[in-house]
């Protein structure tokens, strides 16, 4: 079946995957739509038909990644039916797994923000409302548990920064970390599995949840 006869959703998905690889590897400035089209197996005209411009394609990828991350956090930390410890455990683990599945994403975002500061507004717009609701809910739960003497009273916003920092560092500094651990672990994936568990325990120790 030729590309023009394939379902639109399939062609669009191939373009998005090729564009993600191109943007994450080369950044916005270095990415080329001709290379994306070639990797997706479509003509440049077809890519233009689906997404019009490189900027629209870039914004689509960033917004989808942010939306996926927000859904992951909400599905765990925002689940009021779970005890606070389990909500945090699942939230940390799912965030870590998301980064592990998108290992170039943290470095890509940092590089884009540094080289194109206007991107901060685009990224903030996609998550600010969701994150604020999530943090308000989490702060309420922390305060409730603290009032019962079941955990320390901590700032939910600082806690989120701790979680993000702990989870992202092994991927942002992967070459340095890998050199540092040397042959202490069978593979980097083995190290990451241990690191994920350690991150969960570090956050729970900060709260001292009984």
């Amino acid at each position: 079946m030729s590309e023009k006869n394939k379902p639109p959703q399939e062609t669009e998905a191939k373009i998005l995957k090729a564009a993600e690889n191109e943007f994450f590897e080369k950044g916005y400035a270095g990415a080329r739509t001709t290379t994306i089209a070639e990797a997706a197996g479509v003509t440049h005209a077809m890519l233009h038909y689906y997404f019009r411009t490189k900027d629209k394609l870039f914004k689509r990828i960033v917004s989808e990644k942010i939306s996926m991350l927000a859904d992951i956090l909400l599905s765990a930390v925002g689940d009021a039916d779970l005890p606070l410890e389990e909500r945090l455990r699942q939230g940390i683990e799912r965030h870590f797994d998301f980064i592990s599945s998108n290992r170039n994403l943290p470095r890509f975002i940092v590089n884009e923000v540094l080289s194109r500061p206007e991107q901060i507004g685009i990224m903030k717009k996609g998550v600010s409302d969701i994150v604020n609701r999530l943090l308000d809910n989490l702060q309420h739960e922390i305060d409730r548990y603290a009032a019962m003497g079941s955990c320390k009273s901590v700032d939910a916003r600082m806690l989120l920064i701790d979680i993000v920092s702990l989870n992202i560092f092994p991927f942002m500094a992967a070459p340095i970390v890998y050199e540092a651990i040397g042959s202490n672990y069978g593979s980097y994936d083995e190290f990451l599995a241990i690191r994920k568990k350690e991150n969960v325990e570090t956050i729970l120790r900060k709260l001292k949840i009984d």
Side-chain angles (χ1 to χ4, degrees):
M1 183 184 295
S2 66
E3 282 297 332
K4 66 180 182 180
N5 293 324
K6 288 183 178 180
Q9 297 88 343
E10 184 177 336
T11 301
E12 182 179 281
K14 290 179 67 176
I15 293 172
L16 286 170
K17 183 58 179 176
E20 178 182 316
N21 292 337
E22 179 78 356
F23 283 128
F24 284 9
E25 180 182 345
K26 302 177 182 176
Y28 180 88
R32 296 290 178 265
T33 53
T34 51
T35 305
I36 294 170
E38 182 179 351
V42 303
T43 65
H44 193 261
M46 187 175 289
L47 183 147
H48 180 75
Y49 170 78
Y50 276 91
F51 293 101
R52 310 304 297 175
T53 67
K54 183 172 82 167
D55 192 58
K56 288 184 181 297
L57 187 52
F58 175 84
K59 289 179 179 177
R60 169 72 177 272
I61 290 170
V62 171
S63 65
E64 285 192 355
K65 290 298 181 182
I66 290 175
S67 178
M68 288 172 60
L69 181 55
D71 288 344
I72 287 170
L73 292 174
L74 283 172
S75 68
V77 183
D79 189 348
D81 293 330
L82 293 176
L84 178 59
E85 178 178 355
E86 188 59 27
R87 290 167 69 174
L88 287 170
R89 183 181 301 277
Q90 289 191 22
I92 296 165
E93 290 179 345
R94 291 178 189 179
H95 176 259
F96 192 98
D97 290 342
F98 173 79
I99 300 300
S100 184
S101 298
N102 297 271
R103 297 188 182 187
N104 293 324
L105 182 61
R107 193 177 298 110
F108 163 76
I109 290 177
V110 170
N111 288 339
E112 286 302 308
V113 168
L114 291 176
S115 61
R116 300 198 304 151
E118 67 274 13
Q119 295 303 310
I120 296 176
I122 296 173
M123 297 175 187
K124 182 179 178 181
K125 182 179 179 181
V127 297
S128 58
D129 289 342
I130 294 173
V131 169
N132 284 333
R133 291 201 308 272
L134 179 67
L135 287 174
D136 287 344
N137 178 272
L138 182 58
Q139 188 67 65
H140 174 77
E141 283 298 286
I142 291 172
D143 292 344
R144 186 169 71 87
Y145 272 70
M148 295 186 296
S150 299
C151 78
K152 291 175 59 179
S153 179
V154 301
D155 186 331
R157 284 163 173 75
M158 292 297 103
L159 191 68
L160 180 63
I161 293 174
D162 290 339
I163 292 170
V164 171
S165 300
L166 285 169
N167 280 351
I168 285 180
F169 180 77
F171 303 98
M172 282 291 295
I176 299 173
V177 174
Y178 189 74
E179 284 296 322
I181 65 173
S183 59
N184 293 325
Y185 301 93
S187 69
Y188 198 65
D189 284 339
E190 180 184 337
F191 162 76
L192 290 176
I194 296 171
R195 188 66 245 167
K196 178 170 70 172
K197 182 179 179 181
E198 286 291 328
N199 289 355
V200 171
E201 297 307 317
T202 296
I203 293 300
L204 295 184
R205 279 197 299 269
K206 178 174 181 175
L207 280 166
K208 293 184 179 178
I209 296 177
D210 297 326

